[in-house]
Amino acid sequence: MKFFVDTADTDAIRDLNELNLIDGVTTNPSLIMKAGRDIKEVTKEICDMVDGPVSAETVALDAEGMINEGHELKKIADNIAIKVPLTLDGLKACKHLTDEGHMVNVTLCFSANQALLAAKAGATFISPFIGRLDDLNIDGMDLIQDIRTIYDNFGFETQILAASIRTANHMKEAALIGADVATAPPAVIKSMANHVMTDKGIDAFLKDWEKTGQKIL
């Protein structure tokens, strides 16, 4: 499973990239607002830093506007994935942009039917939102499982990009189900390395090592 980091914070991206832990980046208007920077400037910096896909989102509501904004965003770098919402206009824009050879990430997916339409429109990625469904007492992982089953049934090449991930357990569950990609905030990705028994083990080893009076360097 590929890891994308869901942020426009270039310092956080650089940190994870240096650890070789990420394969791409997802951004959205809310993350751009949080970064407090010009969208083209910060997106270009991210694209220069990361080799994999960098999702940049359109904000138009009509297909023509999304297509035009997609063309403008694509000028930033070759590894831009144009992000469009899962609406009928978004699907129309997706079909047009993918036919032109661009990567397209169809976002704000909350049902298997929507994911099926996105695959039919040729989406490169489909972004089902796990956490936001959990907020409604609906198990977001059931959606990932349904999409995986449908895509496998018919051989769709659209990659399942599990989004709105809140916890390390979400990452594990998405991997078990078979999501192609998971995008998560930097803190969630880093938290996957944490375990209380690892900390206890290190502490015990260091205490025993100190008793030997030895040094490695």
Side-chain angles (χ1 to χ4, degrees), residues 28-132:
N28 60 46
S30 297
L31 292 173
I32 294 295
M33 180 193 70
K34 188 175 179 180
R37 297 179 56 187
D38 175 78
I39 182 174
K40 293 181 182 178
E41 176 189 85
V42 70
T43 304
K44 178 67 166 64
E45 186 175 339
I46 294 169
C47 289
D48 288 344
M49 196 184 311
V50 177
D51 292 332
V54 175
S55 289
E57 190 162 345
T58 61
V59 293
L61 298 179
D62 63 296
E64 183 178 358
M66 292 178 203
I67 292 166
N68 291 335
E69 289 179 355
H71 289 159
E72 188 65 23
L73 291 169
K74 190 66 185 177
K75 293 177 185 177
I76 296 171
D78 291 338
N79 54 332
I80 287 287
I82 303 163
K83 206 171 181 183
V84 299
L86 215 160
T87 62
L88 290 177
D89 277 280
L91 293 171
K92 183 177 180 180
C94 173
K95 175 63 175 171
H96 183 96
L97 292 165
T98 54
D99 283 350
E100 291 180 339
H102 304 306
M103 289 187 291
V104 177
N105 178 358
V106 179
T107 190
L108 292 170
C109 172
F110 293 96
S111 77
N113 279 337
Q114 288 180 316
L116 179 55
L117 291 175
K120 295 284 286 182
T124 313
F125 303 103
I126 181 67
S127 290
F129 277 39
I130 297 167
R132 295 196 193 183

Side-chain angles (χ1 to χ4, degrees), residues 168-169 190-203:
N169 277 342
K190 288 184 175 181
S191 74
M192 295 173 70
N194 299 337
H195 199 287
V196 64
M197 296 305 293
T198 302
D199 296 338
K200 286 184 176 180
I202 291 171
D203 184 56

